[in-house]
């Protein structure tokens, strides 16, 4: 059982102090301290004889239940047996003031954002050896709930228990504060419990660290935890305002659940836990467990009905069905901190504003809704027909600028885009209202509280943004003075113009397609969504993010803290307690319509997947292999960005956005770029040695260890192969030259452009700090001419302050070692790229393609391998060498099995068969024809875009009514596709501009069958959700999705396919086209995604519906 659900009897009220016998159960703890070891057992009576009987029984081998077993949490003090060697949970009474202080502490700070980037590197290296048993050492070292031994609070506890004294109230208060110190969202109620246990287990079962296999499974996805379905639930009545159109039975079941969640939600219970284990050596030990059991009263949940089930219509039905429902009171602590508002706030992606308006009009008005000319975002009666609703559309800040808080509070529905909350004008208004540089939402809450109290501090707040030119202008106009008088009269809502949406207590908040926000780029924008207050909270998504970061993010939208999340520790996501809380959150707050798959249309609309395999040209292949070489050399911090560049090269030969040259020019550019990187590193190394030699002379004598890192680096380079050894020897030569240059004033010239990167050195030289994580290859600004005349003065300052000088010198030595490694990598990267270009060119001689071991000449590309150190082998020789020696046989550079791979499968001609449903463009010609393609008509677009253009032309030629959605994740690739489509006569529409412009594009594309623009180019990450695009019968995925986890990436792709494969599709079948570059990482990722999608999409029915593949 989960710890948070245990001991229901203890939740009923407070018990007497532990040192006094419980009148109901007769149980009491006793402790004795003898020497270094403490004894702690449970007695049925409080007598000394009871202690002896218990000890005797234990010595005779009476088996006691493990305190961390299920019985440990289930047993109460009323039912403890004589064999029990533990004290069950004790509920300690504490004052209401202590809980209120905790609530106040949490409320008075802005909650931390959830890190949405998955950390998988540690999991990949996690050893499975301990999976079959309990790894106590791992549990202790990586457990985030264990209190350190030196924590004074718990030492006091042991002393009190050992002396048989009751636990003091101030101790209870201190432990309570300690356990809840990281809480971000205040619960409705809380209860403190503790117990003392004599046990062999140092870590409570529920607070352990997940074992490797379990952690990997949880990290990848929680999809094995089936979301609760409403298949067998009762259905609600049709909403009263739905006259022309009605909800389907499955939608009515969802509606019934939503109404129940708003009227009778029940409490959600969580537990913060900590434990303290004694240092008693081997055998049984004492352990103190403490927990705070808290309850959150949240009305609402997450409607995760599958793609195409009509979640929008269900929410509109909820609004209509509950219009006369009485809302609960605003909590006392928030009552005077927000403007009361009767509206439902619907937050949506920019491209869904029009769709919400049309659905509201369809179900509640009987016709399409639109904002009337001059309406400033308002749709009021009689424009809303029989519904009588007052609707405000806020797609930009313009409607808000002319509103007062009172006018906004009178709306029934407010539809707003997520983008508005982070627009520059909106954030500037937030800073203005808070009168603080940061514009924190905590300060905004206090400012609203001040206004509602009738207080307007002079010069603090601009109530009428149009009345003054800037917030720095102290002049107040007549209108602003009259508004301040309204505030003093208790009418602040009428006074404040341009209010912020976070200042209101909404009736209901709906986060539509919120899974799009659960990405790494959104991490710093979470504060607004977490701060919003309302009576009811709802999230809508067909693909909820079911991984540790995603579930934690979902809970934060509901202002619920899931204990176990600790942002300062990388291991938080692998804690059993956090997994337990995440599982319970999903079961309590999420419902999904039943049935197989993720898409509602799976049962009656076919889905056919086509995979078009492509082969890169020789130059494209060389560019790809060069990037793959650099990915393996990058550290973990930069590896994700390098991997994205590698995947981009599968779609276009330039990964940096350049669009005006072909692959041949790109090869020249990359060659020059790599040479420039070498020169940059060489200059940094040379100048660094001069600076080090100058400081060495100035600070002499120095300890023997001051250059240890530099010497160690040179030794490592000597042993890393011929290329690295050349760098080490070159570095030693520069050291010798620095000795001569550092004499006299010769060194002034070389140091003109020298800039250290070490933080201590830069502070000493009064240089601005650098951005964290800046790579060495990135050039620094050169505005430091003044240093030419100041170096002598700086050296003199170092000589006068040795305490400060030594960290600067050792920091520069460490930086110098980094530069030597950077130079080695730069030279290796350049040599590998040049060697690869030579081998892949038609001019390559037989000698160039000769194995360095067996000397076989003229190796074919599929039998030839090139190592990271740029040596050529045949596959069989390299495999044997790596298996036996783990190193290159030429230069002794360390190699692994990953380095044994052919340059490329032989580029052979293979014409597609006449019956094939798709063809591979790159495979349809000879190798020479592919080489010529680099400079031909498609030269600046490359292999994949050429194949895509020709396939789109073919689809339209075969079906003049076909419409196609093309998805890509990256903006630079989207622009390249747009240019190619326009150049080759393919009419394309893009989503760009304001929300109304985006909506016009979607509406025209979806509803105008005569439109000549039959291609819609969308973002796979930002525009793949929510939109109804059933006019399309073809969906193109230019490349696989990249996300924090594979499960998340697959769900983004499922969302993209679901734009067309959904209810309302008039065709019998939807076609999905994937363009896959062979012998690349893209091929492996696509294979994995297709496998997962086959199981998600209609339980495998989609895969059985048919698939076409050509290569």
């Amino acid at each position: 059982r989960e710890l948070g659900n245990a001991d229901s009897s203890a939740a009923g009220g407070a018990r007497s102090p532990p040192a006094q016998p419980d009148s109901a159960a007769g149980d009491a703890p006793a402790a004795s301290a003898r020497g270094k070891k403490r004894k702690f057992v449970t007695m049925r009576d409080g007598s000394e004889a009871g202690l002896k009987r218990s000890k005797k029984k234990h010595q005779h081998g009476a088996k006691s239940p493990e305190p961390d077993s299920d019985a440990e949490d289930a047993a109460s003090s009323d039912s403890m047996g004589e064999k029990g060697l533990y004290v069950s949970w004790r509920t300690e009474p504490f004052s209401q003031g202590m809980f209120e202080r905790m609530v106040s502490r949490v409320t008075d700070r802005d909650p931390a954002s959830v890190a949405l980037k998955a950390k998988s590197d540690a999991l990949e290296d996690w050893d499975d050896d301990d999976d079959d048993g309990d790894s106590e050492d791992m549990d202790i070292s990586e457990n985030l709930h264990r209190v350190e031994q030196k924590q004074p609070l718990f030492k006091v506890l042991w002393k009190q228990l050992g002396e048989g004294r009751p636990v003091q109230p101030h101790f209870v208060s201190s432990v309570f504060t300690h356990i809840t110190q990281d809480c971000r969202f205040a619960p409705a109620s809380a209860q403190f419990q503790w117990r003392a246990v004599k046990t062999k287990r140092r870590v409570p079962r529920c607070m352990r660290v997940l074992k490797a296999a379990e952690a990997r499974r949880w990290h990848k996805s929680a999809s094995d935890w089936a979301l609760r379905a409403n298949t067998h639930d009762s259905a609600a009545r049709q909403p009263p305002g739905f006259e022309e159109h009605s909800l389907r039975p499955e939608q009515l079941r969802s509606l019934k659940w939503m109404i129940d969640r708003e009227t009778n939600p029940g409490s959600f219970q969580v537990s913060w836990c900590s434990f303290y284990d004694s240092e008693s050596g081997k055998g049984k030990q004492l352990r103190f467990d403490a927990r705070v059991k808290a309850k959150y009263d949240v009305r609402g949940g997450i409607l995760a009905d599958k793609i195409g089930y009509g979640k929008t219509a269900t929410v509109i039905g909820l609004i209509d069905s509950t219009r006369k429902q009485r809302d609960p009171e605003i909590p006392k602590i928030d009552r005077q901190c927000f403007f009361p508002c009767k509206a439902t706030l619907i937050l949506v992606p920019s491209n869904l504003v029009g769709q919400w308006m049309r659905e509201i009009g369809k179900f509640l008005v009987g016709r399409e809704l639109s904002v009337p000319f001059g309406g400033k975002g308002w749709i009021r009666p009689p424009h809303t027909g029989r519904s009588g609703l007052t609707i405000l559309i806020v797609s930009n800040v313009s409607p808000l600028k002319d509103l007062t808080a009172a006018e906004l509070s009178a709306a029934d529905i407010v539809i707003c885009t997520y983008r508005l909350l982070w627009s520059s004008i909106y954030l500037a208004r937030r800073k203005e209202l808070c009168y603080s540089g940061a514009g924190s939402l905590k300060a905004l809450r206090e400012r609203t509280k001040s206004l509602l109290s009738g207080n307007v501090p002079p010069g603090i707040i601009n109530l009428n943004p149009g009345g003054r030119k800037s917030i720095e202008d102290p002049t107040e106009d007549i209108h602003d003075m009259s508004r301040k008088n309204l505030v003093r009269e208790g009418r602040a809502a009428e006074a404040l113009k341009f209010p912020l949406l976070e200042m209101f207590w909404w009736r209901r908040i709906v986060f539509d397609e919120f899974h799009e926000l659960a990405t790494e780029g959104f991490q710093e924008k979470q504060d607004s969504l977490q701060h919003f207050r309302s009576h009811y909270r709802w999230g809508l998504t067909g693909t909820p993010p079911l991984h540790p970061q995603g579930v934690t993010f979902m809970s934060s939208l509901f202002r619920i803290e899931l204990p176990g999340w600790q942002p300062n520790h990388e291991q938080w996501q692998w804690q059993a307690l956090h997994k337990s809380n995440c599982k319970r959150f999903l079961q309590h707050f999420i419902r999904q319509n039943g049935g197989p798959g993720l898409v509602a249309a799976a049962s009656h609309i076919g889905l056919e997947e086509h995979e078009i395999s492509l082969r890169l040209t020789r130059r494209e292949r060389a560019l790809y292999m060069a990037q793959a070489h650099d990915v393996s050399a990058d550290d973990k911090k930069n590896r994700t960005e390098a991997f994205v560049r590698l995947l981009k090269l599968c779609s276009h030969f330039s990964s940096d956005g350049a669009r005006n040259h072909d692959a041949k020019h790109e090869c020249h550019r990359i060659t020059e770029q790599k040479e420039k990187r070498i020169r940059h590193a060489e200059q940094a190394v040379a100048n660094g040695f001069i600076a080090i030699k100058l400081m060495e002379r100035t600070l002499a004598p120095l300890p023997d260890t001051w250059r240890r890192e530099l010497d160690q680096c040179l030794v490592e380079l000597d042993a890393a192969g011929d290329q690295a050894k050349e760098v080490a020897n070159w570095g030693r030569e520069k050291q010798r030259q620095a000795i001569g240059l550092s004499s006299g004033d010769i060194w002034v010239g070389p140091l003109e452009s020298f800039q250290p990167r070490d933080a201590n050195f830069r502070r000493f030289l009064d240089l601005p700090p650098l951005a964290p994580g800046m790579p060495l290859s990135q050039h620094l600004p050169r505005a430091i001419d003044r240093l030419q005349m100041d170096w002598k003065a700086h050296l003199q300052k170092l000589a006068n302050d040795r305490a400060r000088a030594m960290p600067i010198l050792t920091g520069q030595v460490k930086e110098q070692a980094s530069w030597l490694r950077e130079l080695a990598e730069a030279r290796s990267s350049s040599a590998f790229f040049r060697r690869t270009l030579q081998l892949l060119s038609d001019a390559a001689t037989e000698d160039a393609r000769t194995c360095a071991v067996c000397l076989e000449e003229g190796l074919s590309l599929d039998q030839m391998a090139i190592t990271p150190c740029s040596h050529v082998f045949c596959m069989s020789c390299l495999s044997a060498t790596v298996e036996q020696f783990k190193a290159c046989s030429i230069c002794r550079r360390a190699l692994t099995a990953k380095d044994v791979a052919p340059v490329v499968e032989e580029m052979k001609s293979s014409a597609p068969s006449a019956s094939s449903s798709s063809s591979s463009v790159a495979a349809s010609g000879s190798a020479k024809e592919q080489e010529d393609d680099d400079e031909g008509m498609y030269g600046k677009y490359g292999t994949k875009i050429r194949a895509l253009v020709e396939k789109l032309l073919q689809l339209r030629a075969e079906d003049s009514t076909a419409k196609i959605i093309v998805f890509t994740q990256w903006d630079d690739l989207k622009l390249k596709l747009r240019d190619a489509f326009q150049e080759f006569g393919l009419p394309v529409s893009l989503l760009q501009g304001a929300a109304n412009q985006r909506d016009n594009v979607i509406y025209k594309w979806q509803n105008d069958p005569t439109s000549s623009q039959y291609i819609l180019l969308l973002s796979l990450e930002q525009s793949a959700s929510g939109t109804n695009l059933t006019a399309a019968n073809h969906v193109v995925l230019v490349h696989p999705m990249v996300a924090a986890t594979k499960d998340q990436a697959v769900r983004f792709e499922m969302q993209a396919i679901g734009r067309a494969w959904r209810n309302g599709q008039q065709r019998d079948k939807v076609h999905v086209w994937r363009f896959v570059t062979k012998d690349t990482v893209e091929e492996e990722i696509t294979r994995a995604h297709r496998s997962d999608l086959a199981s998600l999409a209609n339980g495998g029915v989609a895969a059985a519906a048919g698939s076409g593949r050509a290569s």
Side-chain angles (χ1 to χ4, degrees), residues 233-245:
D233 293 350
S234 59
R237 296 179 179 178
Q238 288 288 345
F242 283 34
E243 296 183 1
E244 288 87 357
H245 303 276

Side-chain angles (χ1 to χ4, degrees), residues 742-757:
S742 60
S743 61
D745 292 335
I746 304 176
W747 50 267
V748 173
L751 287 186
E752 285 183 358
S753 60
F754 174 70
Q755 274 206 67
R757 296 183 180 235

Side-chain angles (χ1 to χ4, degrees), residues 272-314:
W272 285 272
C273 301
S274 287
F275 69 93
Y276 175 88
D277 61 307
S278 66
E279 299 174 328
S280 57
K282 297 181 180 179
K284 296 231 174 201
Q285 306 179 56
L286 293 178
R287 193 188 72 226
F288 175 79
D289 298 341
R291 69 183 180 187
V292 174
K293 298 176 70 174
K295 294 181 178 180
Y296 286 93
D297 297 332
V298 176
R299 298 172 182 267
I302 296 174
L303 182 62
D305 282 356
K306 297 167 186 177
I307 299 169
Y309 257 102
K311 294 180 286 293
T312 302
T314 305

